[in-house]
Amino acid sequence: MKIMPPERPEASIQRLISALMPVSTPVSVVPRKRLSWSYQGKPQFYLFLEGEVSVLRASDGLVMATAYEPLLFGVAEAMQAVHCQTLRVDTQAIIQRTDAAQAMAIFSENDLWQDVAAALSYFSSYLFYRDALVVQQRTYSVISNHLQEMIQLPLETRLRISILEYIQERTHLSRSTVLNIIHALKQGDYISTSRGGYLLEMNPLPEEF
């Protein structure tokens, strides 16, 4: 069964970003840099506007989610002292920083807390979606689910990260396990790849393998 990701609350996200842009500050970032949830001792929100960023589990660096479209990060982290995840910039990106206290005052002044709730609901739903991809799933199902997710990405993104790297970062499955299944799918003409293991095309995958 194909597992579908939650729907982004586009209008809410845009309203939040638009409200915070006038008081935000550009952040100088380079690929693979991790961002701190605080600046000069104060909690921060991050307005991700362009590029690619990943949310990593702080304990082991497992990729929980990757964003390719504008998003607001840091609301939960500003409200809770326990920081279980961190942000990693994956490509050249446009990101701006906003003081969390100032941002929350703007939310109150402009009656935006319903939009904040919509964004937080999206984040929590995405975590449930990710768990559905990997928790108590057989190894083939885990790999198949991630291939289904990967083929939805633009080709230029798929040509930047190999199938092996994409799946290992998100599952911590062994290299040999992933490669064995990918090889079998290629032999069965279910997927085609370029040199280096980049996903080009994919036919409907079998339920069992």
Side-chain angles (χ1 to χ4, degrees), residues 21 31-32 38 49 59 62-63 65 93 101 103 105 164 190 201-202:
M21 280 294 290
R32 313 306 288 184
S38 64
L49 305 175
S59 60
L62 183 77
V63 174
L164 177 64
Y190 291 106
E201 296 179 350
M202 188 170 77

Side-chain angles (χ1 to χ4, degrees), residues 8-24:
R8 280 170 50 94
E10 300 289 356
S12 290
I13 291 170
Q14 185 55 54
R15 280 192 291 269
L16 294 174
I17 290 176
S18 295
L20 298 183
M21 280 294 290
V23 296
S24 67

Side-chain angles (χ1 to χ4, degrees), residues 38 40 47 77 94 132 158 173 191 196:
S38 64
Q40 296 182 345
L47 282 62
E77 288 72 20
I94 298 175
R158 286 185 271 126
L173 289 172
I191 63 173

Side-chain angles (χ1 to χ4, degrees), residues 15-24 45 98-113 116:
R15 280 192 291 269
L16 294 174
I17 290 176
S18 295
L20 298 183
M21 280 294 290
V23 296
S24 67
F45 290 174
T98 305
D99 177 82
Q102 184 179 16
M104 287 189 279
I106 290 174
F107 294 159
S108 296
E109 292 167 5
N110 294 276
D111 195 25
L112 291 172
W113 284 105
V116 173

